[in-house]
Every structure is written in structure tokens, then in C-alpha cells.
Amino acid sequence: MSAEIRIKELRERLNYLNYKYYVEAQPIATDYEFDMLLRELQDLEALHPEFDDPNSPTRRVGSDLTNAFRSVQHAYPMLSLSNTYSPDELHEWIDKTQREVGDEVELDCELKYDGTAISLTYENDRLVRAVTRGDGTQGDDVTENVRTIKCIPLELQAPSGLPSFEVRGEIFMTYTTFDRLNKEREEAGEQLFANPRNAAAGTLKLQQSKIVAKRNLQFTAYQLEGRDLPFASHSQSMDALRRWGFPVSSATLVSKSKEDVDNYIARWNDERNEIAMPIDGVVIKVNSYAARRALGRTSKAPKWAVAYKFKAEQALTQLQSVTFQVGRTGAITPVANLAPVHLAGTTVKRATLHNADQIEALDLRIGDMVYVEKGGEIIPKVTGVELSERPADSRPLEYITTCPECGTELVRYEGEAKHYCPNQSGCRPQILGRIIHFIRRKAMNIETLGEETVELLFDSGLINCVADIYDLRAEQLAVLPRLGEKSAANIIQSIRTSTQVPFHRVLFALGIRFVGETTAKYLAAHFRSMDAVMAATREELLETEEIGGKIADAIIDYLADEQNRTIIERLRKAGLQFETEQKSTLSESLAGLSFVISGTFADHSRDELKAMIEAHGGKNLAAVSSNTSYLLAGDKIGPSKLQKANKLGVKIISEQEFIAMIGGDNFNNETTPEQPSEETKAEPIPIQGSLF
Ligand code: IVH
């Protein structure tokens, strides 16, 4: 069989498996089978760049090249929806609509997903473009990122018979993914997303599609746009979208009765906390396209639809006390301790107060009756005070000025809302937090040690920092309560094994503020050794992909601390991996040269070019700077990159010139970019009530 035919066959099969897994949530192949087919396709594509296809299922894993988002005009404006929180207003809208187009008008009720809107353009049944809503007339081209969302068909499952059309819908994040993401960010000392909506919108605008691919974004379609569509109504269009392979919610209702609409709203208001995806209301749309045309639109919103928004669920309860938690990074979080109250399916006893500004803005006082809300967020928050119930003798709450754990005076860094305890090396929760972070599975993987044992070891004076772990002896552990010789031996063994953990995980394990798993990987790939990271200037750190000023400053601060440097030296002596393993290279012909790739190329994908550069000893950079040796320019190159290269006198070369530089196209398979890892295969979303 020719490579071309096999590639086509593999792409079709993988697209179908993806569809069964991510859209229908009915997997028909094991992960292993899927991965083997994907790998075969990746290998064939690397050998045959002439059959490159931006819609190949291999593109679902994303790339780590920097995306620049082009602004694109919408062919049909992306309007917003008029909305209401009031049943009376909704009834008025229904009455008015019925007066205008007749009371036989069918109303289509749908869930209002709380994510971010996207417009997907298909030409000849293939995805060609994905654009955000932007200002409604033009948005950002986020196609590369959207290609990584597994439930979005890159090619339709069944022919549409249309030359082109647009599918609009919502990109969102399930609560489970949101929680996991925030947990990871918290452990890495990164800023948390306030709610799944912000997380989805923020992810969609990430500059690297490879990270987007790991975030498990979801999509649901709710609108079809196009010229001469062969459908008379919205529900017909949605049925077609389902046939073509799009995820379309089945939690819809078409009815002519106001009462049915009310019941639909009441049902989903009750059940909204039981489904996997965040919803913030219901959308009621006129079903018939003819009736829609008759109703028309205003400049902002169609008159044929309205959103009924759910009120955030609220409860009133008493604020009994405020406690202050100290995190691993020393950040202080005030927590409200409340008289237990039932809210949105759970009993709430505590709520976050975020920081001192928020307490002041609310003028919170102990004994106050406060409103707690669960909006799109999982953690309840205090949103207001019932002043009519304020005790007469209450006094404003004073924010702490010293650390509740170690008594050190708190500091507030410029531009940050939180207070911090600066006593990194002497404050119990900070020390314990750092050690517990260090032993995590994704860091040094010494989880046999466990949080409780870490506390015991700390309290008995055996460990005070992460380096002390490597001085532990089995006999010291064996005498601890609940341990014994066997567990002690196991722990010592996993401590020893941890010295083989790769360099990027060691970097992550150190717990430098804002240096999460991904950032650590970039740092390790860029600098290749701890010595190089330690010697790097701020400017050099900024040249690393995905590293901005805040992260660079945090790294510099961390390394400027004498105690941290001592810990690093002790870890080096203990035998931890302080260098990135050398990748096999084809040659060193590009050693010392750095490249920025921009645009699209005729013969190779950007990933391939990138891999070729590395295979020949060169370095890939994300942005043009005075350190760039060459700008490898393809079609549709960003004008700002060109301008910058010209200004800085960076040489601009074509794909052919580049190939000539490395002595022809002898690209070896071994050096293809990273295979998709376990992490890229996301779980299908748990679907309660089978929404799709
Ligand atoms: S229809 C002309 N249907 O709500 C308006 N929108 O507040 C077409 N949304 O930008 C939108 N679920 O992002 C529609 N079932 C649904 C929706 C929905 C969520 C979002 C959408 C829109 C926003 C307006």
C-alpha cells in the first residue's frame, strides 16, 4: 500500500475513534490501539512531508511554537443575547414574539453554557478557521489552539453538501478539569483562575497550542450560519450538525407553551449543580428561520432569542471568625468561618475572603450576617453583609500584621493584593509546604514519605529543608510511630530512586514561585543545566519560551537567596540530576546558531523544521531579538517579526535556504517532536443525564 493511501486511511480511522470517544463518549478502541495508530501516522507524516495536512489528527497534540493571533473579520456578526433574570420579563418577551409571528411559534430552549463563544468555518467539510467573538465584528484567529480540542471535528463525519458554513458554539471547561487545573496552579504557586469561564477563555488565548491540548477544553454547538442553508429551522440545523459529527446538547426542548418553558427553566435551575459543565442560564430561541427573519435584530442582539440567567445561589449566615492561612509561598489567605448553612447542594462552613482589600471593601465584622454565594466558582465566597442585622457593638475587623504561624511581620509586594510572610526558612507551613511539594509524584516522586511523616520528621528535628531528605537514614525512620523497618527501607529506596528523576522535574520540585511543571520543562529545555539557569541574567531568562518578567524575577529572587543556593549545592552532592539528557543529534552543523520560525512552509511543518534545527545542534527561539541568528520565513509571516528582523539586521532565510544549510533533506525520524504523552489523552467528560 502506498504511504499516501495508508496516511489517508489512518487519518480517517483516528478521526472516527476520536469522534466516538470525545463526542459520543463511547470509546471503541483501547488507548493503546489509538496510540499505536497515531504513532504510525506520525512516523509516516514525518517521512512524507509532502502529504502534510493541518487537519491531520496528529495536530491535535498542538505545537510549542508561539501563536500570534491574527484579527479576522466575521462573515456574519457575532451578536450577543438580550438577557433577563425575571420570569415576568421573559413572559412579556414570549407574548410579544407570539403577537408578531403568531402564537403557533415554536420556542427552542437550550442550556446557556458558561464559557467562551467561538465561530468555526468549514470549507469543503474541513475546518479552516476558528475565530473568537472579539468585538462581534472581528475576533482573533485561534485555529491552531482549536484544532487541539478533540470533540471538534476537523473533517465532518458525513458530507454536508455545502461548500462552506460556520458553526458557532461555546468552548468551555468542565468543573473537574477546572478544579484539577487550579490545584496544579496552586501547587506551583501560580495565579488561580476565578471560574471555569475565565479558565476556558484564558486557555484559548494561550500562545502554545501544546498547552491548550492538555487542558481538556470542550465544545458544544448552538448555531449554524451560512448562505442558502437547506434547513427551515434551528432544530433541523442542530440535527444536521449532530450527523456531521459535532457535539450538540440533547438537553433541549422545542415547545409552543410558556408553561413548558417555565418548567424547563425550573428543572435546569435545580439540576445545574449536578452536571459536569458550567451553565449560567437558559437560552430561548425562536425555532423557525422564517419567523426569525420576520423578527429581525437590533444592532447588538437578535430579537428572536433571549437568555434567562440564573441568579447565583445565595445564603445568609453568621460570620463567626476569620482565620488566616499561610501557604507554601508565604501568601496569607483570610478564611471566613461561618455558621454551617446549606447552599447549592452542600453545607458551607467556610468561605474565602481573598485578601485584606476585600475584607475592607465589605466592611466585614465578626458576628455579621453575611451573604455567601456559589457562582461559577467552586469555593463559596462572601459577597455582602446584611447591615440591618449588624450587632450594635461590632467593630471593623483588623487585618493581621504579623504571621499567625511564626510571628514575623507581614509584607505586601508592589502590585500584589495578598500579604506575605517573608520568613521562608523559619515558618512552619512554608517549610512543610515546600517539602511536601518536593516529594509529590510529579516532582521527585517520594510519596512513600507522606505528609504526616514529613510533619513528624520536621517536628522531631530530622528535616528542615528538602536537602535534609537525602541525609535520612533507615534507622531514624524506623523508630517513628506507624513506621517500621520495612516502610523505612521503602522510603529510603524511593529517596534513592528519586536521584534519577530528570532535571526538569528537579527544577519544578524546588518550588520556585510561578515555576510550574510546564515552565520548568521550558527552562530545562532552554538552559539544559542547573549551572546555566543559575548563571542566567534576567534578559536571558526572558528569552525562554513562556517566561515573562514575573517568572524571571521570581527565579532571580529564589537564586539570590544564599540558603536556597546552599540547598541546591547539597542536592547536587546528593546526586540529583542537574542536567538535561543530551538528545541524539544528526550533526552539529547549526551549533551556536539560533532560529525563529514564522509563517507557513511548502515542504515541512513548523514542528519538523524545529526538530531539524535541534537535530543539527541549533536552538529555537520564540521571538526575534538581537541574539537571533536567522529568521526562517515562510508564507504569511507576521509583519512585526519581519520588521523586527530587518531592524536588528537578523538574516532572513527561506525554507530552501535552510534545507541547503543542513546539507539537504536528510531528516531523520528519530528526531521528530515529542510523542503525545499520557497527559494528552484526556478522559471523556462525565456526562450526567447524557447531555450530548
Ligand atoms: S445563541 C445571536 N445559544 O451566550 C446569539 N448562545 O450572552 C447567538 N451562549 O455569546 C448565541 N450558550 O457565547 C446561544 N445555547 C446557547 C448559548 C449561547 C451560551 C453564549 C454565547 C453568547 C453569549 C451571549
Side-chain angles (χ1 to χ4, degrees):
M1 186 191 301
S2 80
E4 186 175 11
I5 293 176
R6 181 64 184 155
I7 286 176
K8 189 161 172 277
E9 201 174 83
L10 284 166
R11 285 179 182 160
E12 276 170 14
R13 179 73 185 155
L14 285 161
N15 279 336
Y16 185 63
L17 295 181
N18 247 323
Y19 168 77
K20 295 299 282 182
Y21 191 95
Y22 289 102
V23 181
E24 292 197 338
Q26 284 173 344
I28 52 165
T30 63
D31 284 5
Y32 179 76
E33 283 170 284
F34 184 92
D35 289 341
M36 287 301 109
L37 294 173
L38 189 68
R39 193 160 297 180
E40 185 186 345
L41 178 58
Q42 276 172 328
D43 290 349
L44 276 174
E45 287 181 348
L47 282 172
H48 296 279
E50 69 274 24
F51 304 130
D52 184 35
D53 180 348
N55 278 341
S56 166
T58 53
R59 296 296 176 93
R60 298 268 196 201
V61 297
S63 108
D64 51 10
L65 285 169
T66 304
N67 268 322
F69 304 122
R70 235 169 13 110
S71 199
V72 177
Q73 193 83 14
H74 291 299
Y76 314 90
M78 284 183 86
L79 300 176
S80 55
L81 286 171
S82 4
N83 62 50
T84 178
Y85 288 88
S86 133
D88 286 346
E89 274 181 23
L90 175 66
H91 291 164
E92 275 169 35
W93 177 83
I94 298 177
D95 289 340
K96 196 165 158 255
T97 306
Q98 288 178 338
R99 275 199 306 276
E100 287 193 26
V101 288
D103 52 11
E104 285 301 294
V105 62
E106 281 182 340
L107 299 171
D108 174 273
C109 304
E110 293 173 5
L111 301 181
K112 186 172 188 306
Y113 290 92
D114 199 9
T116 184
I118 193 82
S119 183
L120 309 172
T121 304
Y122 287 78
E123 284 171 11
N124 302 319
D125 292 348
R126 292 160 56 81
L127 176 73
V128 293
R129 213 163 26 256
V131 183
T132 62
R133 178 166 183 274
D135 64 4
T137 55
Q138 56 180 38
D140 282 338
D141 181 336
V142 289
T143 314
E144 287 310 311
N145 285 349
V146 165
R147 279 195 221 281
T148 68
I149 302 175
K150 319 280 190 307
C151 62
I152 293 183
L154 302 176
E155 290 180 18
L156 299 195
Q157 284 298 320
S160 70
L162 298 170
S164 80
F165 59 89
E166 276 184 39
V167 175
R168 293 191 173 163
E170 200 82 350
I171 286 177
F172 62 91
M173 195 178 269
T174 63
Y175 285 117
T176 322
T177 305
F178 169 72
D179 287 345
R180 197 181 56 214
L181 176 65
N182 258 359
K183 194 160 163 264
E184 285 169 10
R185 291 173 77 85
E186 186 165 22
E187 279 161 359
E190 291 167 349
Q191 187 128 28
L192 302 191
F193 286 113
N195 50 47
R197 175 180 6 98
N198 290 2
T203 299
L204 199 59
K205 292 286 189 72
L206 279 175
Q207 295 217 306
Q208 285 173 335
S209 53
K210 207 166 173 175
I211 309 179
V212 182
K214 293 182 181 167
R215 291 265 180 96
N216 198 15
L217 290 177
Q218 304 293 333
F219 170 77
T220 186
Y222 54 59
Q223 202 179 349
L224 176 67
E225 289 278 5
R227 259 172 250 299
D228 307 322
L229 294 178
F231 309 113
S233 70
H234 177 65
S235 47
Q236 282 181 10
S237 294
M238 294 302 107
D239 287 343
L241 289 185
R242 270 189 207 101
R243 284 197 303 276
W244 299 342
F246 289 91
V248 180
S249 171
S250 56
T252 56
L253 171 85
V254 178
S255 170
K256 297 170 187 164
S257 124
K258 223 186 263 176
E259 203 186 337
D260 283 351
V261 175
D262 288 346
N263 289 337
Y264 181 88
I265 292 176
R267 172 181 167 205
W268 287 106
N269 193 17
D270 283 350
E271 290 182 21
R272 68 171 146 145
N273 295 309
E274 280 148 44
I275 55 174
M277 54 289 278
I279 57 172
D280 63 344
V282 160
V283 185
I284 300 109
K285 303 173 175 175
V286 166
N287 196 24
S288 134
Y289 285 157
R292 285 188 181 191
R293 281 190 292 274
L295 287 158
R297 49 173 264 202
T298 68
S299 63
K300 288 204 192 95
K303 291 188 190 164
W304 44 258
V306 69
Y308 179 89
K309 301 246 281 189
F310 298 140
K311 286 194 194 78
E313 286 179 79
Q314 263 195 349
L316 192 63
T317 187
Q318 190 174 44
L319 175 66
Q320 297 179 322
S321 66
V322 173
T323 43
F324 296 88
Q325 286 178 348
V326 188
R328 163 166 73 82
T329 58
I332 308 286
T333 304
V335 177
N337 299 302
L338 308 161
V341 64
H342 201 72
L343 175 66
T346 52
T347 303
V348 174
K349 294 185 209 129
R350 286 146 64 86
T352 170
L353 291 167
H354 299 294
N355 53 49
D357 293 343
Q358 208 208 1
I359 293 181
E360 203 181 306
L362 292 168
D363 180 25
L364 271 192
R365 301 176 183 203
I366 305 296
D368 270 345
M369 291 303 288
V370 294
Y371 289 101
V372 267
E373 255 181 35
K374 257 193 192 172
E377 297 83 14
I378 296 297
I379 308 164
K381 57 183 181 188
V382 174
T383 55
V385 177
E386 184 51 62
L387 290 172
S388 66
E389 296 192 36
R390 171 163 280 176
D393 57 351
S394 73
R395 280 202 274 131
L397 217 153
E398 273 180 35
Y399 206 78
I400 48 168
T401 54
T402 54
C403 175
E405 298 278 345
C406 70
T408 305
E409 197 159 327
L410 300 182
V411 292
R412 216 168 176 183
Y413 302 110
E414 212 185 298
E416 292 211 29
K418 281 193 185 279
H419 286 71
Y420 282 83
C421 166
N423 182 17
Q424 285 184 13
S425 52
C427 181
R428 189 174 193 273
Q430 294 190 56
I431 301 172
L432 287 176
R434 277 198 303 272
I435 300 176
I436 289 163
H437 169 76
F438 186 83
I439 63 171
R440 286 173 56 209
R441 192 174 51 82
K442 289 185 167 182
M444 302 306 289
N445 193 17
I446 325 181
E447 283 192 339
T448 43
L449 206 46
E451 289 190 24
E452 277 181 31
T453 314
V454 167
E455 285 186 32
L456 272 175
L457 290 169
F458 173 79
D459 291 334
S460 51
L462 284 170
I463 55 173
N464 197 48
C465 70
V466 296
D468 293 337
I469 293 175
Y470 294 90
D471 293 338
L472 287 173
R473 281 174 284 119
E475 47 295 7
Q476 293 173 315
L477 296 168
V479 296
L480 292 175
R482 284 190 304 275
L483 290 183
E485 278 180 21
K486 190 143 183 261
S487 349
N490 279 342
I491 294 173
I492 295 295
Q493 182 53 44
S494 52
I495 294 177
R496 210 168 288 149
T497 312
S498 78
T499 58
Q500 296 314 308
V501 158
F503 173 49
H504 66 89
R505 277 171 51 191
V506 176
L507 260 180
F508 169 60
L510 291 177
I512 305 170
R513 271 181 91 197
F514 311 124
V515 179
E517 264 183 288
T518 313
T519 308
K521 276 189 192 159
Y522 282 118
L523 277 172
H526 188 89
F527 289 101
R528 308 203 140 252
S529 75
M530 184 68 88
D531 285 334
V533 176
M534 291 173 83
T537 61
R538 186 174 192 273
E539 285 63 41
E540 285 164 347
L541 287 168
L542 286 174
E543 273 170 24
T544 316
E545 279 176 66
E546 290 292 310
I547 291 194
K550 205 165 86 171
I551 303 179
D553 289 340
I555 297 169
I556 301 234
D557 284 353
Y558 178 90
L559 293 171
D561 186 314
E562 205 41 56
Q563 288 183 12
N564 289 338
R565 292 182 88 95
T566 311
I567 290 173
I568 290 176
E569 287 322 309
R570 286 179 60 200
L571 293 177
R572 188 198 299 271
K573 281 215 186 82
L576 268 63
Q577 301 303 308
F578 273 25
E579 276 176 27
T580 301
E581 260 182 49
Q582 282 297 317
K583 275 195 201 151
S584 62
T585 49
L586 292 178
S587 83
E588 286 295 325
S589 59
L590 304 180
L593 300 177
S594 60
F595 293 78
V596 172
I597 306 178
S598 182
T600 55
F601 297 87
D603 296 331
H604 299 89
S605 74
R606 290 194 297 197
D607 273 348
E608 281 162 2
L609 292 170
K610 210 173 152 182
M612 286 177 180
I613 291 171
E614 278 176 13
H616 290 276
K619 215 158 86 173
N620 287 290
L621 299 178
V624 177
S625 75
S626 53
N627 289 334
T628 312
S629 321
Y630 293 97
L631 173 64
L632 177 44
D635 284 346
K636 297 189 205 139
I637 178 173
S640 63
K641 279 209 170 107
L642 261 185
Q643 259 172 19
K644 197 152 181 207
N646 281 326
K647 203 171 126 206
L648 296 172
V650 172
K651 270 198 211 125
I652 301 170
I653 51 167
S654 67
E655 186 179 13
Q656 290 75 21
E657 285 170 306
F658 169 74
I659 299 297
M661 261 172 103
I662 56 169
D665 193 354
N666 56 355
F667 186 46
N668 182 322
N669 219 353
E670 259 175 23
T671 53
T672 44
E674 238 178 79
Q675 300 288 349
S677 66
E678 275 288 296
E679 282 168 290
T680 59
K681 183 100 192 177
E683 290 163 29
I685 42 171
I687 300 169
Q688 279 110 332
S690 175
L691 279 185
F692 290 141

